[in-house]
């Protein structure tokens, strides 16, 4: 497993956040039907742990 997938699993985000790469871009997709507080929490954790400016998308 890569760092991003391990990170999602360790922090319990794997149920509503997925990770993919597009070239050199790191993309985290958050399920938009999730509670808004959980979406904000996931955004904060992703920004803190993956500081090299990943793209965060809410679907």
């Amino acid at each position: 497993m890569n760092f991003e997938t391990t990170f999602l699993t360790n922090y319990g985000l794997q149920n509503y956040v997925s990770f993919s790469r597009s070239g050199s871009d790191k993309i985290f997709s958050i399920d938009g039907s999730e509670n808004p507080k959980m979406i904000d929490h996931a955004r904060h954790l992703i920004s803190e742990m993956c500081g090299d400016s990943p793209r965060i998308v809410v679907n």
Side-chain angles (χ1 to χ4, degrees), residues 2 5-6 17-18 32 38-39 52 58-59:
N2 60 18
T5 305
T6 302
V17 180
S18 61
M38 294 303 287
I39 291 172
D52 52 348
V58 179
N59 297 326

Side-chain angles (χ1 to χ4, degrees), residues 10-50:
N10 287 344
Y11 284 89
L13 303 176
Q14 78 280 2
N15 293 324
Y16 65 100
V17 180
S18 61
F19 172 76
S20 62
R21 287 186 188 268
S22 177
S24 63
D25 291 339
K26 295 178 180 181
I27 304 167
F28 288 91
S29 299
I30 303 173
D31 181 0
S33 65
E34 188 63 44
N35 180 320
K37 286 185 179 184
M38 294 303 287
I39 291 172
D40 288 341
H41 179 65
R43 279 185 169 155
H44 176 75
L45 286 173
I46 293 166
S47 296
E48 288 292 316
M49 295 301 291
C50 303

